[in-house]
Amino acid sequence: MTKRLGPGDIDQAARMIRAGELVAFPTETVYGLGGDAANDRAVAAIFEAKGRPHFNPLIVHVADLEAAETLARFDERARRLARRFWPGPLSVVLARRDNAHVSLLASAGLDTLAIRVPAHPMAQGLLRAAATPIAAPSANRSGRVSPTTAAHVASELDGRIAAILDGGPCTVGVESTVLDLTGERVRMLRPGGLPLEAIEAIAGPVMAAAGADDGARPRSPGQLASHYAPSLPLRLDVSSVRPGEALLAFGPDVPPDATATVSLSASGDLVEAAAHLFAALRALDRPEFSAIAVMPIPEHGLGRAINDRLRRAAAPRPALAGGGEEG
Ligand code: TXA
Ligand code: MG
């Protein structure tokens, strides 16, 4: 079911990405599980294929700095790092441009975007042929280690994705270094294939992942200081709507009495629901409503990740800076 493709099949792999299918591809760090980052459903399908119980933001891959600049706001420091280390094992987190053609689900609803330009020639070939940004977490099932050969990918994702592009073993073998460039000081969110010393030579002192000198809670790989959460209160598992509430609906049997309703999926399709989740929350998060009432979402497949995010958004938030964390 999952096609095995080689270096001669880049165009075919690119067509699959354009068609919204998932293709695992080699980078110099680890294999990525790629989907069209501009396509909400393709991004939702990535989470489903990985079996992730929650949505965390994915790295968006592009062919070069020029393409990256269309998605996020680079300052001189970010450009210096990009010119020195791209293509290569570096991902940078920057403010997302308002008009960036990237699914909100890819950045888990955040206003920032993690971007990477991989060096592997087949990754470069795929990005150029697909001519769209490719969202790609490591191509393993949730909770497993990152794959560094096509055979590793096949052992976990065979039958769950359209194709695996085989580019041989990865040369770096650990994930990219992730740097948060949104603050005054550079912060290392995840140590990886690009060493700290090389970064500091270009960008000056870097705060460690667990750096607490700004009062923020410690971050470790996969953790974030804040997640997108609506400012309105959320009421979960509702079967009827109170006056003034907006309704986040799921499935065909929608209570008729809401001031405003946005449906995650009228047919009850969880992949479609995940694809619409963050845009729907943003659409309903308006001061004229008293709360967002949320219909029950089944607790299986992508429903688990959707419910995880809704529960976090519904929980009392002590302070903005500590708003959430990845489990
Ligand atoms: O080497 C790699 O980086 C591989 C290859 C395929 O490129 N990709 C990878 O992706 O490891 P993933 O999804 O497994 O890891 C993404 C990391 C996570 O630690 C995530 O929290 C962080 O990047 N991240 C992504 N977007 C972020 C954002 N907007 N803000 C902060 N952290 C972000
Ligand atoms: Mg991973």
Side-chain angles (χ1 to χ4, degrees), residues 40-41 44-45 105 250 263-277 302 306:
D40 286 321
R41 290 196 64 121
L105 189 61
F250 178 82
S263 179
L264 290 174
S265 168
S267 65
D269 174 338
L270 288 167
V271 176
E272 183 182 25
H276 293 158
L277 177 65
L302 278 181
I306 295 171

Side-chain angles (χ1 to χ4, degrees), residues 162-251:
I164 300 170
L165 204 50
D166 190 341
C170 301
T171 53
V172 175
V174 296
E175 292 92 340
S176 63
T177 301
V178 182
L179 295 182
D180 179 353
L181 299 181
T182 60
E184 208 165 294
R185 285 181 61 188
V186 178
R187 186 200 288 265
M188 171 110 75
L189 296 179
R190 180 178 73 183
L194 184 64
L196 177 66
E197 293 78 1
I199 297 160
E200 292 197 318
I202 303 290
V206 171
M207 285 194 282
D213 46 342
D214 62 351
R217 297 236 304 265
R219 302 184 210 195
S220 59
Q223 287 192 327
L224 290 171
S226 69
H227 276 304
Y228 171 74
S231 24
L232 285 182
L234 258 65
R235 203 161 64 80
L236 303 183
D237 291 325
V238 307
S239 50
S240 65
V241 182
R242 295 174 185 161
E245 281 184 342
L247 178 66
L248 187 63
F250 178 82

